Amino acid sequence: MTASVDETCIGCGACASVCPEVFRMNDEGLAEAYVNPVPSELEESAQEAADGCPTDSIHLD
């Protein structure tokens, strides 16, 4: 699985709170996926972060 965050991110920080092993806030205050591919033991947590994104900015493939 790979993770990405698109340009619709509003910087709420929910993903970084739920799954800090994959998502972090960058210098612009927006989320980014910094671990790819997502380790198998973190896939459930990454999915939870994606499901909780208020703007559906997280994409998992």
Side-chain angles (χ1 to χ4, degrees), residues 4-12 30-31 53-59:
S4 62
V5 181
D6 70 27
E7 69 281 349
T8 62
C9 175
I10 59 171
C12 75
L30 300 175
C53 179
T55 56
D56 295 324
S57 301
I58 298 172
H59 305 282

Side-chain angles (χ1 to χ4, degrees):
M1 166 188 290
T2 60
S4 62
V5 181
D6 70 27
E7 69 281 349
T8 62
C9 175
I10 59 171
C12 75
C15 59
S17 294
V18 171
C19 188
E21 302 87 355
V22 176
F23 302 100
R24 65 181 172 199
M25 305 308 288
N26 65 22
D27 291 339
E28 286 107 36
L30 300 175
E32 65 182 6
Y34 71 100
V35 174
N36 271 306
V38 176
S40 59
E41 65 272 12
L42 297 174
E43 287 182 358
E44 187 175 323
S45 181
Q47 184 64 58
E48 184 180 338
D51 292 344
C53 179
T55 56
D56 295 324
S57 301
I58 298 172
H59 305 282
L60 302 174
D61 298 307

